[in-house]
């Protein structure tokens, strides 16, 4: 068994069953091994940003790593933005990056680069396998690293000769510790704060915005009168009917300051004290009031469920009822295509158990509100701020959960970064409805221009924020990649296309022209 095969067998035995790939010469033995070993689904992405974003989507939905197969430094660097997003989301993810054979590196052949240094900026674990005998053991260590809480990006670099030389057989993935128990003192402190009667916010992040945890938080809020919010972005939130509705810290600084005004305490559940996305002249970086104290209840690698059960007992909230949303869909939007009308139609028509992948930027500011009483669903957000995540993330989510409908909410500017994902969606027959909101501008940057105090932009500056001339034809681009598409210039058309897409199997795209 060569090194490549020993690695693939090790990964499959360790529970890694999907590999998103964009290979090259240095990964050929690995590709052949993928073929030879049962139990590994291989999914081709035509750009590495698709490969890495898809692994993020898969990891978020399963809490297990998918593999990526990337071609040396340039291949990895092409996928870097979405590795960054996965790193920020604490997604378990295993990158396998081919490199030149060890003896070839010294010749500085064209694709030579310092992969390790680049990988370290977005990975919690990086290792280069020195030889074929080490590859399986290193692969097993990489799986364990990816699974280590709170979930990590692990990058294993494989010189080509480690793949073709004789390996050492299959290695066993080391046992990974489960979540740690929170310290008694942390629970005592949170209970004391809640009993004090001072205005208190419980702020959720990490893996705490899921139903079982939300239910406990709801009980605690009912009993103590505290408020509950989630961070500005959360990797996966379970919401809709039957779940506690939790608002997020808003993106605009003034709005965030307003929402957080008056709180004396913030109890942090796998979250951090809220900070502004960017610095702005004359605005604070920290969004909580200056006299507001943060209290860490649950750290990223600790068990939120156990901590909140304990806290609920401490404050006598176990018997309370969590105030969950009731199914009460809003009325569909009608007339002109506007953000408000789109929000209404999504709220009315979201299929049960959908996975919503949200990169709707300015168009989607109200979507969270209009969907809170929709059918139960999961909501995935961009944790790293690097746009071009939505379509790839949707690929991974759809592969992780083939029985669920994925609803991608994609702004046109962001969509152009990684639209090759549509081809993978078609090839794999994935159940994804991609909604592109074609406002034909980088809308958010127009707001940012004013926020940072850049005054009197001229024609050249405004041209950098305008993505019309020529207008993008999303229906044609989707068709070119094998995804049926339709354009909506009224809400009646949008509603008709969305209903048809929901009823159909496989991918589809709706271009909503704003
Ligand atoms: C990788 C990356 N490049 C550039 C940016 C800067 N950026 C943030 S939002 C944005 C434009 C978003 O436009 P669009 O997706 O059309 O959404 P809209 O603001 O129009 O709602 C850009 C270029 C970024 N965040 N990430």
């Amino acid at each position: 068994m060569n090194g490549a095969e020993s690695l693939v067998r090790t990964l499959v035995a360790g529970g890694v069953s999907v590999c998103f790939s964009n290979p090259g010469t240095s990964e050929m033995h690995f590709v052949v091994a993928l073929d030879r070993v049962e139990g590994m689904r291989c999914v081709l992405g035509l750009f590495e940003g698709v490969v890495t974003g898809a692994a993020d989507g898969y990891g978020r939905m399963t809490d297990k790593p998918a593999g990526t197969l990337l071609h040396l430094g340039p291949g990895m660097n092409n996928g870097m933005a979405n590795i960054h997003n996965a790193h920020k989301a604490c997604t378990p993810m295993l990158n396998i990056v081919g490199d030149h054979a060890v003896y070839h590196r010294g010749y500085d052949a064209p694709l030579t680069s310092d992969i390790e240094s680049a990988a370290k900026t977005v990975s919690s674990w990086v290792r280069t396998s020195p030889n074929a005998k080490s590859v399986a053991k290193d692969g097993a260590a990489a799986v364990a690293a990816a699974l280590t809480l709170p979930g990590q990006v692990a990058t294993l670099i494989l010189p080509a000769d480690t793949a073709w030389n004789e390996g050492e057989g299959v290695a066993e993935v080391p046992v990974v510790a489960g979540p740690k128990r929170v310290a008694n003192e942390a629970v005592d402190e949170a209970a004391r704060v809640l009993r004090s009667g001072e205005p208190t916010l419980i702020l959720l992040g990490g893996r705490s915005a899921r139903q079982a945890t939300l239910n406990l938080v709801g009980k605690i809020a009912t009993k103590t009168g505290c408020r509950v919010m989630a961070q500005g972005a959360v990797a996966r939130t379970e919401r809709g009917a039957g779940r506690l509705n939790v608002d997020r810290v808003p993106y605009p600084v003034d709005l965030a300051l307003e929402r957080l005004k008056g709180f004396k305490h913030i109890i942090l559940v796998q979250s951090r004290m809220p900070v502004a996305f960017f610095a702005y002249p004359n605005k604070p970086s920290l969004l909580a009031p200056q006299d507001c104290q943060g209290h860490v209840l649950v750290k990223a690698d600790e068990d939120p469920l156990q901590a909140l059960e304990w806290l609920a007992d401490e404050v006598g909230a176990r018997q309370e009822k969590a105030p969950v949303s009731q199914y009460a869909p809003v009325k569909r939007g009608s007339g002109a295509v506007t953000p408000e009308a789109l929000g209404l139609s999504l709220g009315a028509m979201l299929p049960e158990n959908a996975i919503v992948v949200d990169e709707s930027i300015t168009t989607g500011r109200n979507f969270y509100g209009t969907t809170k009483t929709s059918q139960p669903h999961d909501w995935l957000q961009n944790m790293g701020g690097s746009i071009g995540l939505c379509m790839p993330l949707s690929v991974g989510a759809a592969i992780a959960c083939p029985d669920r409908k994925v609803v991608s909410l994609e702004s046109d500017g962001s969509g152009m970064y990684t639209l090759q994902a549509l081809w993978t969606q078609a090839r794999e027959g994935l159940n994804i409805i991609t909604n592109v909101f074609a406002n034909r501008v980088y809308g958010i940057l127009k707001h940012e221009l004013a926020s940072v105090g850049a005054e009197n932009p001229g024609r050249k500056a405004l041209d950098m924020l305008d993505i019309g001339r020529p207008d993008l034809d999303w229906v044609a681009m989707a068709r070119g990649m094998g995804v049926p598409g339709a354009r909506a210039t009224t809400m009646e058309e949008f509603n008709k296309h969305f209903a048809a897409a929901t009823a159909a199997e496989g991918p589809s795209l709706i271009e909503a022209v704003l």
Side-chain angles (χ1 to χ4, degrees):
M1 191 190 301
N2 65 21
E5 191 173 328
S6 77
L7 175 61
V8 177
R9 289 194 185 281
T10 296
L11 299 184
V12 171
V16 180
S17 54
V18 178
C19 187
F20 298 99
S21 309
N22 189 272
T25 307
S26 42
E27 297 80 38
M28 282 301 123
H29 282 83
F30 194 83
V31 171
V32 171
L34 286 172
D35 200 37
R36 210 176 297 143
V37 177
E38 281 292 312
M40 182 72 85
R41 179 170 179 184
C42 304
V43 178
L44 181 62
L46 300 185
F47 175 68
E48 290 85 348
V50 175
V51 169
T52 54
D56 186 359
Y58 180 91
R60 288 189 196 201
M61 294 312 300
T62 58
D63 296 330
K64 278 189 350 181
T68 68
L69 182 62
L70 303 166
H71 187 49
L72 297 96
M76 184 186 72
N77 290 329
N78 268 347
M80 198 74 140
N82 278 340
I83 306 178
H84 160 89
N85 286 330
H87 183 52
K88 293 286 185 187
C90 294
T91 302
M93 175 167 170
L94 168 56
N95 299 312
I96 295 159
V97 187
D99 194 2
H100 286 311
V102 174
Y103 58 83
H104 195 64
R105 275 211 211 116
Y107 300 111
D108 194 24
L111 280 160
T112 310
S113 71
D114 183 355
I115 305 175
E116 271 202 11
S117 294
K120 277 179 187 159
T121 64
V122 287
S123 313
S124 301
W125 183 101
V126 179
R127 186 177 293 174
T128 303
S129 246
N131 53 55
K133 301 264 184 241
S134 316
V135 167
K137 181 172 58 60
D138 289 340
V143 176
L147 286 168
T148 298
L149 291 170
Q152 304 194 112
V153 174
T155 301
L156 177 62
I157 301 160
L158 286 190
D161 49 342
T162 68
W164 67 60
N165 286 334
E166 190 61 16
E168 188 101 300
V170 178
E172 204 174 317
V173 173
V175 176
V176 177
K180 296 182 189 134
R181 287 174 73 85
V182 295
N184 296 4
E185 297 74 34
V187 179
D188 288 347
E189 185 177 325
R192 179 182 58 72
V193 165
L194 288 169
R195 282 195 212 99
S196 73
E198 294 194 306
T200 300
L201 173 69
I202 297 183
L203 186 68
L204 304 175
R207 293 185 188 177
S208 71
R210 302 191 186 173
Q211 190 163 5
T213 325
L214 289 171
N215 203 34
L216 286 162
V217 175
K219 288 169 184 259
I220 293 169
T222 303
K223 176 76 186 184
T224 65
C226 74
R227 292 276 312 281
V228 183
M229 284 177 95
Q231 288 182 159
V234 178
R236 169 149 74 92
T237 303
E238 293 179 352
R239 61 193 301 273
R243 279 91 182 253
L244 179 76
N245 178 56
V246 176
D247 285 333
R248 301 165 295 184
V249 176
Y251 175 90
V253 171
D254 293 335
L255 205 54
L257 292 171
E258 180 60 33
R259 292 278 164 80
L260 296 172
K261 207 161 82 187
F263 285 115
K264 289 275 183 276
H265 303 277
I266 299 185
I267 295 176
L268 300 163
V269 178
Q270 299 192 317
S271 60
R272 288 186 298 175
M273 289 299 269
V275 295
F277 220 85
F278 294 105
Y280 299 92
N282 308 318
K283 291 191 181 170
S285 294
L286 288 171
L287 300 171
Q290 277 185 352
D291 63 346
C292 176
Q293 239 188 311
H295 308 269
V296 179
L297 173 62
V298 190
K299 297 190 189 125
D301 61 349
E302 292 178 338
D303 187 349
L305 206 52
Q306 175 256 330
L308 289 159
E309 278 172 357
W310 198 355
L311 182 60
D313 286 340
E314 280 293 311
V315 298
R318 269 303 183 108
Q319 305 311 320
E320 297 291 343
K321 257 179 93 75
V324 297
S325 295
Q326 302 299 317
Y327 178 56
V330 292
K331 200 166 167 299
R332 291 179 186 187
S334 59
V337 177
T338 62
E340 292 70 29
L342 286 164
L344 292 176
S345 286
L346 289 169
M349 300 171 81
L350 207 56
E352 187 171 357
N353 219 12
I355 301 167
V356 177
V357 183
D358 182 8
E359 194 170 51
S360 55
I361 321 270
T362 58
T363 304
R365 290 260 161 90
N366 73 331
F367 292 175
Y368 220 55
T370 56
T371 50
K372 68 183 178 199
T373 56
S374 299
Q375 301 273 20
H377 58 273
D378 285 8
W379 198 282
L380 275 48
Q381 285 173 281
N382 190 333
M383 300 287 293
S386 177
I387 57 176
L389 178 61
C390 176
M391 294 193 203
L393 203 68
S394 302
V395 166
I399 286 178
C401 305
D403 300 332
R404 301 174 66 175
K405 211 53 163 183
V406 176
V407 176
S408 302
L409 306 177
E410 180 65 293
S411 244
D412 51 357
S414 302
M416 282 306 288
Y417 285 69
T418 45
L419 75 170
Q420 305 91 330
L422 292 171
W423 179 86
T424 304
Q425 295 181 10
R427 177 185 251 206
E428 300 291 327
L430 303 178
N431 273 321
I432 301 172
I433 309 171
T434 302
N435 300 276
V436 177
F437 305 118
N439 62 4
R440 296 175 180 154
V441 283
Y442 283 164
I444 191 169
L445 298 187
K446 292 202 162 174
H447 295 282
E448 295 292 66
L449 204 62
S451 301
V452 298
E455 279 159 15
N456 301 325
R459 178 83 236 148
K460 269 199 280 182
L462 289 173
D463 262 356
M464 296 303 104
L465 313 179
D466 179 352
I467 60 169
R469 290 186 291 124
D471 288 343
L472 296 160
D473 184 341
W474 281 95
V475 176
M477 291 191 286
R479 190 184 316 117
M481 284 182 273
V483 172
R487 183 168 295 115
T489 54
T490 64
M491 284 311 298
E492 286 68 25
E493 285 172 353
F494 179 84
N495 295 341
K496 186 179 77 177
H497 298 326
F498 194 88
T502 305
E505 287 287 309
S508 55
L509 178 142
I510 303 168
E511 176 182 344
V513 182
L514 284 125

